[in-house]
Amino acid sequence: MEHLEKGQQVEIDEQKWVYDSSFDHRGQTPLRSSTGAWKASLFIIAIEFAERLCYFGIATSLIIYLTKVLHQDVKTSAKNANQWAGVTTLMPLVGGFLADSYLGRFRTVLLSSIIYLMGLILLTMSSMIPSLKPCANHGHCVEPRKIHVVVFFIAIYLVSVGTGGHKPSLESFGADQFDDDHPEERKKKMSFFNWWSVALCSGLLLGVTLIVYMQDHVGWGQADIILTMAMACSVAIFIIGRPFYRYRKPVNPLKPMVQVCVAAFSKRKLPYPTSPSELYEVQKSEKARERLLCHNTFKFLDKAAVIEEEDFC
């Protein structure tokens, strides 16, 4: 009876607290009822919508801006646009490494959002402040001011850096809000990715339609104001959700990779284990469960090259 009561108490604690190696904003074990799941992921979905809206609002009309406003030829405009797209594509490699090894996903998203917002503010200033506008008067100029060109390129590359922090961290941070060991949260996690795609596609659609329409028929500065306000609101929403998030400590991926390679090389002549009980594993505590991969035992049958795989979870 006493053993049964202890088992029931453990099950109650598992339902009340989240034991998946995450922690809340106070550094303690997260309370399931007040952290994570939809309470946290809605804030993250909002910033994804704003980021995609801003990115495609800029990227879609970048060549048009370079040719019509900066008066670059088509070849130069295409080269500059491709260079910007290339930097934007490579920046997530840096952002992902910093997030996983040093800063953590929340700090990476927050820092990249601030950098993103700074770029949008500079972009708006370059179109609205008289001293930073491409022309000294309201008419068309043959060659834009140097100050406008410098500020414009600094702005779009700040946006590129901000995108590099968003792409590898934001979606993963959203997935961290759901406990895979909890059946209900596991189902909600599947639904989260669906709504994530809805927010992404909605931001993309409005970016290539509404924002582009405003750039063509209203003005570049007015369109930049909308993008800046959207990102500013999303950053504020993201910060408001801080008490509801579940966080994970950053772990340098290089160290375990090197350890595995060294261990595999030094033990390459040892016989393969026939049972999972022979494997070395760090024991899991009740309050700090780790996500472990299933055991894989491969049996090679003589020269037939037939592989049997047995999973022990």
Side-chain angles (χ1 to χ4, degrees):
M1 179 65 72
E2 183 179 355
H3 177 72
L4 182 61
E5 292 178 353
K6 288 183 178 179
Q8 293 176 345
Q9 184 63 37
V10 170
E11 185 176 355
I12 292 174
D13 289 340
E14 289 179 349
Q15 295 296 325
K16 184 177 181 181
W17 303 95
V18 182
Y19 297 127
D20 62 348
S21 74
S22 61
F23 56 92
D24 60 13
H25 68 288
R26 298 188 183 92
Q28 302 174 352
T29 302
L31 184 63
R32 191 180 302 277
S33 61
S34 60
T35 62
W38 287 115
K39 293 179 291 296
S41 58
L42 291 177
F43 298 98
I44 301 172
I45 290 176
I47 199 170
E48 170 65 11
F49 166 80
E51 193 276 330
R52 292 290 86 184
L53 172 70
C54 297
Y55 175 80
F56 284 101
I58 295 172
T60 304
S61 301
L62 182 57
I63 292 183
I64 297 176
Y65 189 91
L66 294 175
T67 54
K68 293 180 63 175
V69 179
L70 299 188
H71 300 289
Q72 296 181 352
D73 57 80
V74 176
K75 181 179 179 180
T76 304
S77 300
K79 182 187 72 174
N80 288 331
N82 289 334
Q83 287 177 348
W84 179 78
V87 172
T88 306
T89 303
L90 292 176
M91 285 307 298
L93 298 176
V94 180
F97 177 77
L98 292 176
D100 293 338
S101 302
Y102 300 104
L103 299 179
R105 288 165 184 159
F106 173 78
R107 292 181 180 177
T108 302
V109 172
L110 181 59
L111 178 60
S112 62
S113 299
I114 294 174
I115 295 174
Y116 208 122
L117 182 59
M118 290 171 57
L120 292 173
I121 292 174
L122 275 180
L123 195 63
T124 303
M125 292 171 59
S126 68
S127 300
M128 300 300 294
I129 296 179
S131 60
L132 297 179
K133 286 185 176 181
C135 300
N137 49 42
H138 296 287
H140 295 282
C141 55
V142 178
E143 185 176 357
R145 292 171 171 175
K146 295 294 183 181
I147 185 64
H148 174 80
V149 177
V150 172
V151 172
F152 173 78
F153 278 103
I154 291 176
I156 63 172
Y157 276 98
L158 284 175
V159 170
S160 181
V161 174
T163 303
H166 271 266
K167 281 188 176 181
S169 305
L170 192 58
E171 187 173 9
S172 299
F173 185 60
D176 288 343
Q177 308 309 312
F178 299 88
D179 183 8
D180 288 332
D181 295 330
H182 193 270
E184 293 183 5
E185 290 196 10
R186 188 165 58 248
K187 293 180 181 179
K188 292 178 181 179
K189 185 176 182 178
M190 298 174 61
S191 180
F192 161 76
F193 287 112
N194 293 334
W195 285 105
W196 175 273
S197 299
V198 170
L200 187 153
C201 295
S202 299
L204 188 157
L205 179 62
L206 291 178
V208 300
T209 54
L210 177 63
I211 301 301
V212 172
Y213 177 85
M214 291 196 62
Q215 291 169 346
D216 291 338
H217 297 86
V218 181
W220 294 94
Q222 288 78 359
D224 292 338
I225 290 176
I226 292 179
L227 297 180
T228 304
M229 292 178 61
M231 179 55 66
C233 292
S234 68
V235 172
I237 291 173
F238 185 71
I239 295 174
I240 291 173
R242 182 174 176 271
F244 304 101
Y245 299 141
R246 296 173 187 171
Y247 307 86
R248 295 183 184 273
K249 293 182 179 180
V251 178
N252 193 331
L254 297 180
K255 182 178 179 180
M257 287 175 60
V258 173
Q259 289 177 334
V260 169
C261 293
V262 172
F265 181 80
S266 61
K267 300 179 181 181
R268 65 188 184 279
K269 296 182 179 181
L270 295 178
Y272 293 107
T274 58
S275 173
S277 61
E278 301 177 32
L279 299 175
Y280 171 78
E281 290 181 347
V282 178
Q283 296 298 324
K284 298 183 294 182
S285 63
E286 293 184 357
K287 294 187 177 181
R289 293 185 178 179
E290 299 291 340
R291 296 177 179 178
L292 298 178
L293 297 177
C294 295
H295 302 146
N296 295 320
T297 302
F298 298 96
K299 298 179 180 178
F300 296 88
L301 303 180
D302 298 330
K303 299 180 181 179
V306 179
I307 301 176
E308 296 181 359
E309 180 177 349
E310 299 177 0
D311 292 334
F312 303 90
C313 296

